Amino acid sequence: MASRRDWLEAGLAVLEQDGARALTIERLCGELGLTKGSFYHHFKGMAGFRTDLLTHFETEHTSRFISDAESAGTSARHRLLHLLRLVLDDKSGSEAVEIAIRAWALQDPEVRALQERVDRSRIDYLRTLWRGLGGPEADVEPMARLLYLVLVGAQQVVPPVPTPGLRDIYALALRLAPHDAHEWEDTP
């Protein structure tokens, strides 16, 4: 028997492979080799599954990264570097999931609300980290957005910017931080 998490992970896999239209009970059951009864054991229909899937996405692709970064140390610099490493070294296929969620958000108000919340949370956290570096307050908002937009844009261009290229871009951006540039040599 599949766990609730197994169903949600299968949902993310279907979403990244074939988009939101492919998210059906039949498809999910086929992916896991299980019956509809197993699906209904965990979820109250497709609407409930979708809501839970979006919550799962937010937890796994936003909250988990922020929590992990927070555990990386007391300095904003260490937390920011750790966050960038986590994101750039993530091998969970999150780029494809991110793209699929953004495409779905263009068509569905519930998903759009989630995407807005996720984007806001991520930018808020980057804002907090950049502010912790001690630079001018006027730089906090633009730099938080810049750091985030680099990642989102790198995922959206065709072909996507590869990880080494993203590392170079972030290293360049971090040289704008209000610290000695040598401190950033261990960039992501």
Side-chain angles (χ1 to χ4, degrees):
M1 175 168 247
S3 69
R4 188 173 201 289
R5 181 179 180 84
D6 293 335
W7 284 100
L8 296 170
E9 287 296 322
L12 290 179
V14 167
L15 184 63
E16 80 178 59
Q17 290 166 8
D18 295 317
R21 288 179 185 232
L23 278 175
T24 64
I25 296 172
E26 293 78 15
R27 172 73 184 269
L28 293 166
C29 289
E31 291 290 321
L32 293 171
L34 296 169
T35 66
K36 288 183 182 181
S38 180
F39 175 87
Y40 285 108
H41 174 75
H42 295 288
F43 306 100
K44 295 179 180 177
M46 200 59 196
F49 176 80
R50 285 171 27 117
T51 299
D52 291 352
L53 181 66
L54 295 174
T55 299
H56 179 70
F57 168 78
E58 183 174 17
T59 300
E60 290 300 310
H61 295 269
T62 299
S63 304
R64 179 177 57 88
F65 284 97
I66 291 171
S67 292
D68 285 355
E70 280 298 297
S71 68
T74 56
S75 80
R77 176 184 172 272
H78 283 98
R79 291 192 314 269
L80 178 58
L81 288 174
H82 188 70
L83 176 65
L84 292 174
R85 282 188 198 102
L86 288 171
V87 170
L88 294 176
D89 293 341
D90 182 35
K91 302 297 184 226
S92 69
S94 65
E95 279 185 20
V97 171
E98 292 278 342
I99 292 167
I101 292 283
R102 285 189 187 284
W104 193 11
L106 295 173
Q107 304 164 6
D108 185 296
E110 181 183 8
V111 183
R112 181 180 176 86
L114 164 96
Q115 187 66 67
E116 288 175 1
R117 187 172 62 246
V118 163
D119 287 345
R120 189 171 42 253
S121 293
R122 292 170 177 178
I123 292 169
D124 286 349
Y125 187 60
L126 288 168
R127 188 181 302 116
T128 297
L129 292 175
W130 200 264
R131 184 174 283 119
L133 297 176
E137 184 63 27
D139 291 351
V140 171
E141 183 69 24
M143 284 307 297
R145 288 187 182 278
L146 174 66
L147 293 173
Y148 189 55
L149 292 174
V150 164
L151 180 65
V152 172
Q155 293 170 343
Q156 298 296 318
V157 297
V158 178
V161 177
T163 299
L166 270 174
R167 288 184 199 287
D168 292 344
I169 293 167
Y170 278 122
L172 176 63
L174 292 176
R175 286 198 287 270
L176 300 173
H179 290 285
D180 184 0
H182 299 291
E183 289 185 47
W184 295 101
E185 287 180 357
D186 62 343
T187 54

